């Protein structure tokens, strides 16, 4: 696999100057280990999923930190929560010293909860997602449509479609057979879990309704909710919350549900190649989720303070696919798979912007040209928007 310099490189170096500890979190196989080792080639590396490293660290945590607790990378840190109190004591002996330890982890809430109780004020968090389009295009010369089909997991990105699907199958199998049974008390067999995942994939881009999924699948509402929460914890799905404001309209209050990586989504929907993607009934829903995830990554990378992300929909059907609140500014995005856009195509988007009194809206589409439809609404090519 080719080593790709990630856009988060600068953020890591900045955080190492601000905090004694930096945690890099994100999904399995997104490239966290490679990222850390490329950026910090002279640092010692320990993997807590490796029995010898786990034994060395867990047997005497204070001794380990005294010996190796400077310029040290610890992978899968969430597997040893007892490490964090010892780490706090180690850090506080030289509180002003920065850039000492990097923690890597694949389970956001478990890792964050343990750290927040022990290392508050001593740690900075960075989320490393799979490749975004700009990273993939600059390194692999991949086109937008193929990247949308395959998703951003680094290892299989240049593989043939058949081999790429085999990688995704094993990735899902690992989640089902290891992560679920390790974390979630469930009686669902691996086969039933795969069926549930396929059903969830059909909910991508739609309003989230756990009761409907539970009823259709013959399991409890709580089982579905806990399962999806676990998928969120492992960075596999995202539930986008609605934007609420008193605009004199009945607003939709349900969440919207998305798979974060479209490669995984397409595998679960049995969309193995570009021909199938171009004719799929799920094409529009898939593209919407793809653009939303790419935009969230871009905003999160560049913003000084974490932006907030929403969607907006009224009972009458006026809708904004993605609403970004960056400080006091709200920017609205409408996402279309069409290759041409006219004002008549975005009436509901216009109405939603008027209701929220927004002065900036962007329509992202599959065409090539960038132009303005009105003073407030700009049309941007997906490829040029994501590649810059």
């Amino acid at each position: 696999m080719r080593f790709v310099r990630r856009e988060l490189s600068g953020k890591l170096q900045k955080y190492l100057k601000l905090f004694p500890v930096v945690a890099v979190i994100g999904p399995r196989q997104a490239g966290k280990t490679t990222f850390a080792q490329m950026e910090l080639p002279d640092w010692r590396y320990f993997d807590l999923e490796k029995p010898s490293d786990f034994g060395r660290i867990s047997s005497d945590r204070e001794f380990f930190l005294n010996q190796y607790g400077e310029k040290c990378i610890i992978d899968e840190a969430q597997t040893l929560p007892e490490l964090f109190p010892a780490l706090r004591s180690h850090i506080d002996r030289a509180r002003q010293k920065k850039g000492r330890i990097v923690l890597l982890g694949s389970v956001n809430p478990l890792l964050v909860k343990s750290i927040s109780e022990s290392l508050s004020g001593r740690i900075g968090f960075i989320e490393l997602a799979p490749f975004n389009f700009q990273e993939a295009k600059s390194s692999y010369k991949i086109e937008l449509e193929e990247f949308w089909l395959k998703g951003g997991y680094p290892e299989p990105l240049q593989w043939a479609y058949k081999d790429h699907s085999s990688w995704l199958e094993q990735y899902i199998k690992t989640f089902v057979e290891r992560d679920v049974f390790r974390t979630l008390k469930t009686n669902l067999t691996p086969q039933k879990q795969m069926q549930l995942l396929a059903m969830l994939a059909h909910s991508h881009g739609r309003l989230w309704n756990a009761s409907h999924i539970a009823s259709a699948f013959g399991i409890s509402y709580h089982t579905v909710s806990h399962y999806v929460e676990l998928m969120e914890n492992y960075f596999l799905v995202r539930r986008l919350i609605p934007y609420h404001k008193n605009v004199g309209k009945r607003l939709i209050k349900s969440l919207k549900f998305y798979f974060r990586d479209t490669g995984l989504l397409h595998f679960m929907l049995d969309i193995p190649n570009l021909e199938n993607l171009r004719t799929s009934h799920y094409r529009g829903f898939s593209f919407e989720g793809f653009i939303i995830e790419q935009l969230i990554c871009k905003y999160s990378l560049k913003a000084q303070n974490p932006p907030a992300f929403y969607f907006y929909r009224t009972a009458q059907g006026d809708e904004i696919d993605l609403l970004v609140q960056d400080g006091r500014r709200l920017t609205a995005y409408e996402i279309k798979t069409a290759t041409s856009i006219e004002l008549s195509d975005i009436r509901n988007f216009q109405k939603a912007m008027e209701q929220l009194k927004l002065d900036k809206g962007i329509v992202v589409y599959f065409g090539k040209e960038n132009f303005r439809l009105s003073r407030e609404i700009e049309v941007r090519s997906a490829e040029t928007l994501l590649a810059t």
Side-chain angles (χ1 to χ4, degrees):
M1 182 182 71
R2 181 185 301 178
F3 293 141
V4 178
R5 189 167 183 84
R6 305 298 299 267
E7 291 189 327
L8 281 169
S9 298
K11 191 169 187 178
L12 174 63
Q13 298 302 328
K14 176 182 176 180
Y15 275 29
L16 287 171
K17 296 176 182 177
L18 295 175
F19 301 100
V21 183
V22 177
V24 181
I25 57 177
R28 295 189 187 280
Q29 302 299 318
K32 296 184 298 298
T33 301
T34 301
F35 170 67
Q37 292 181 323
M38 283 183 62
E39 294 298 320
L40 308 168
D42 299 327
W43 287 39
R44 293 179 181 270
Y45 172 80
F46 301 91
D47 182 0
L48 286 175
E49 290 201 332
K50 183 179 177 182
S52 59
D53 285 351
F54 185 90
R56 172 189 286 186
I57 298 173
S58 62
S59 62
D60 193 333
R61 298 179 293 279
E62 291 185 4
F63 175 79
F64 169 80
L65 290 170
N66 287 335
Q67 294 294 312
Y68 304 106
E70 303 296 329
K71 295 189 175 182
C72 170
I73 302 167
I74 303 176
D75 207 344
E76 296 298 346
Q78 76 279 349
T79 61
L80 187 61
E82 298 85 0
L83 172 66
F84 303 129
L87 187 54
R88 172 177 177 167
S89 177
H90 174 72
I91 293 299
D92 284 351
R93 284 197 289 271
R95 182 68 177 82
Q96 299 305 314
K97 193 174 182 181
K98 312 300 183 184
R100 304 170 68 182
I101 293 177
V102 169
L103 305 176
L104 311 180
S106 304
V107 191
N108 183 0
L110 294 178
L111 184 61
V112 172
K113 182 176 184 297
S114 297
I115 290 176
S116 63
E117 293 172 351
S118 302
L119 297 175
S120 177
R122 302 164 178 83
I123 187 165
F125 285 92
I126 296 174
E127 182 179 327
L128 184 75
F131 287 157
N132 61 36
F133 177 59
Q134 185 173 356
E135 291 169 332
K137 184 175 179 62
S138 63
S139 299
Y140 297 110
K141 312 304 179 186
I142 192 170
E143 296 300 321
L144 180 71
E145 193 177 28
E146 184 178 2
F147 181 75
W148 167 28
L149 171 70
K150 287 185 169 182
Y153 283 96
E155 185 174 358
L157 193 57
Q158 285 197 303
W159 295 5
Y161 293 142
K162 182 178 179 181
D163 296 330
H164 184 268
S165 294
S166 297
W167 188 95
L168 292 171
E169 181 180 12
Q170 293 304 310
Y171 188 93
I172 291 292
K173 186 177 180 182
T174 298
F175 172 73
V176 165
E177 295 183 355
R178 183 177 68 173
D179 297 329
V180 172
F181 285 111
R182 176 188 291 177
T183 310
L184 191 66
K185 304 296 183 183
T186 180
N187 294 322
L188 294 175
T189 65
Q191 182 179 10
K192 292 291 285 184
Q193 288 188 58
M194 292 298 289
Q195 293 171 359
L196 175 59
L197 287 169
M199 183 173 289
L200 292 171
H202 286 79
S203 299
H204 174 94
R206 304 176 191 268
L207 295 176
W208 173 244
N209 189 330
S211 297
H212 175 75
I213 297 289
S215 176
F217 201 67
I219 56 179
S220 73
Y221 164 88
H222 295 292
T223 298
V224 172
S225 294
H226 291 157
Y227 200 93
V228 170
E229 286 172 7
L230 184 66
M231 294 180 70
E232 286 182 303
N233 294 351
Y234 277 87
F235 305 91
L236 297 181
V237 301
R238 182 188 298 278
R239 285 184 287 186
L240 199 62
I241 62 176
Y243 183 79
H244 287 157
K245 186 175 181 180
N246 184 14
V247 293
K249 296 283 184 178
R250 282 179 51 212
L251 301 179
I252 298 297
K253 297 182 179 180
S254 300
L255 306 174
K256 288 187 77 173
F257 177 87
Y258 298 96
F259 271 70
R260 293 183 61 168
D261 183 80
T262 47
L264 287 177
L265 171 70
H266 296 151
F267 173 76
M268 298 311 305
L269 291 174
D270 193 22
I271 300 175
N273 53 49
L274 289 175
E275 182 180 354
N276 289 99
L277 179 59
R278 290 164 182 164
T279 58
S280 172
H281 295 301
Y282 296 98
R283 174 181 169 84
F285 292 112
S286 171
F287 190 66
E288 177 185 316
F290 170 69
I291 297 297
I292 286 174
E293 192 64 28
Q294 293 289 304
L295 287 172
I296 288 176
C297 288
K298 285 180 74 70
Y299 271 99
S300 300
L301 176 67
K302 295 179 180 179
Q304 293 295 320
N305 298 306
F309 304 100
Y310 310 92
F311 76 96
Y312 174 86
R313 182 188 289 184
T314 70
Q316 292 74 33
D318 306 325
E319 184 174 14
I320 294 170
D321 292 328
L322 179 66
L323 192 60
V324 181
Q325 185 169 20
D326 191 1
R328 294 185 177 182
R329 185 174 184 83
L330 285 171
T331 303
Y333 288 88
E334 173 78 350
I335 300 163
K336 299 286 189 182
T337 54
T339 56
S340 63
I341 296 291
E342 299 179 0
L343 276 173
S344 59
D345 299 322
I346 58 165
R347 294 300 183 195
N348 291 340
F349 179 63
Q350 281 185 295
K351 291 179 183 177
M353 285 187 60
E354 291 168 2
Q355 291 158 18
L356 295 178
K357 297 180 172 58
L358 302 183
D359 60 6
K360 184 175 182 180
I362 299 173
V363 180
V364 184
Y365 80 130
F366 212 68
K368 299 296 184 183
E369 303 297 324
N370 300 323
F371 57 95
R372 283 196 170 275
L373 277 176
S374 69
R375 181 177 178 179
E376 296 82 16
I377 298 177
E378 180 183 2
V379 178
R380 295 291 303 276
S381 160
E383 184 158 6
T384 57
L385 177 65
L386 299 183
T388 56

